[in-house]
Amino acid sequence: MDQLSEKGNITRARIVETARELFHKQGVRATSIDQILETSSTGKSQFYHYFSSKDDIVHEVLRFYMRIVESGRGPVLLNIESWDDLERFFYDHVEGVRMLGYERSCPLGSIANELASENEQVRVDVNLVFGYIRNSISGFLKGLKSEGKLKKSADPDALSDFSIATVQGALLLAKVRKDGTPAENTVKHALIHLKSFAK
Amino acid sequence: MDQLSEKGNITRARIVETARELFHKQGVRATSIDQILETSSTGKSQFYHYFSSKDDIVHEVLRFYMRIVESGRGPVLLNIESWDDLERFFYDHVEGVRMLGYERSCPLGSIANELASENEQVRVDVNLVFGYIRNSISGFLKGLKSEGKLKKSADPDALSDFSIATVQGALLLAKVRKDGTPAENTVKHALIHLKSFAK
DNA sequence: CGAAAATTGAACTGATTAGTACAATTACTG
DNA sequence: CAGTAATTGTACTAATCAGTTCAATTTTCG
């Protein structure tokens, strides 16, 4: 790959953003490179100038999500420092799929579900993002525990995995039902359970 | 479609079973009809004799799951009449993905996640199965409630959706982590929460 | 048996796929 | 301004895709 000029960076970013949107909307395998190029008004030579393969752009889309999450610029608050923050973490996700008409689930969960068994890089990439979120939640819970504000029986790591899993399941259920109610009920009960460990 | 002879039924069932396995293993879009035919040692004319399209066999695979669930012949106990049954419902799912090396999530959730937004029939089909499971769990909880064995604040329908979502999320997380521990923790905490409504 | 119906094999089509080749053009830099 | 590097447009390939055609074979049943 050559050094990128400002113009090159813009083109590259436009391709990544278009791919990200299409992967979320319809899945990776349902999205052809030609469709990414047509939607982003880009030529094929440009695509293969910036990316080496379809697997490569999937990887770049996942790295994009990782940067979003790390930088805190995403639509979901991930810097969790209070019970209110944790509550917002859950409800931001439900609100996110509501805005999209309950026609999509989690963009990361979808890609992982579609490709993780056949593409180890995808599994690792998604794991990195999930791991970051896991650390964010468990860090909050561990902090509470050290302050004596969480029951000793509470396992922060296990409760973090529980949180991520319930969000993933809630978003999938919203998509299957095309209705936010089951997802809202799911995260509501997940929060009740988590807060039951507070003291 | 002509009337099916016994031989025809066997061929048809072989195709459905092969498609079901491949869809679960690698996804629907990653599975070509040619691969289904090669794996099941069947010719293409046979496939289009018994099924009208790829969408059609996806539908038939989902109907197969529905029959499995209704008949109680599946690997997961769905006739839930006690807390032990409900506990088994959760752990059967985790055990199911453990047996497959944590390389797959829920076969229905996977197909729904991949296709529900673009194929309404798929969404409806998966909803039928999820609805059956939902009724099974909420029926048990409603029974408890009428016997005064469940807190009045408990909402059986909401808790059923919570149960289905946590299972879906747990299985996805197991696949992403290639490890059963987060899924076990998830269903363990889901059960603790559900049982907190018992009295 | 013998005819009708069900089942199957093999070759084919047209569209779409990921990826390549290569020349043309634009932008940067000394 | 001249040369070099970055960027882009067009045309292409070989493989694979879902689906079709049609004749051959097997099974069923009076």
Side-chain angles (χ1 to χ4, degrees), chain A residues 2-3 5 8 11 45-46 49-50:
Chain A
D2 308 311
Q3 175 108 13
S5 69
T11 300
S45 70
Q46 299 173 59
H49 183 63
Y50 298 111

Side-chain angles (χ1 to χ4, degrees), chain A residues 150-192:
Chain A
L150 201 73
K151 290 184 184 167
K152 286 176 74 175
S153 65
D155 177 345
D157 288 329
L159 290 173
S160 301
D161 286 336
F162 169 80
S163 300
I164 292 170
T166 49
V167 167
Q168 289 296 319
L171 301 193
L172 175 58
L173 202 49
K175 181 174 176 177
V176 171
R177 293 272 284 277
K178 223 188 243 184
D179 176 14
T181 314
E184 282 160 19
N185 284 330
T186 298
V187 301
K188 182 180 85 177
H189 280 283
L191 275 163
I192 292 172

Side-chain angles (χ1 to χ4, degrees), chain A residues 134-150:
Chain A
R134 186 179 125 112
N135 283 342
S136 179
I137 298 173
S138 69
F140 163 61
L141 295 176
K142 285 171 183 168
L144 282 186
K145 209 170 178 179
S146 70
E147 295 167 19
K149 294 178 179 170
L150 201 73

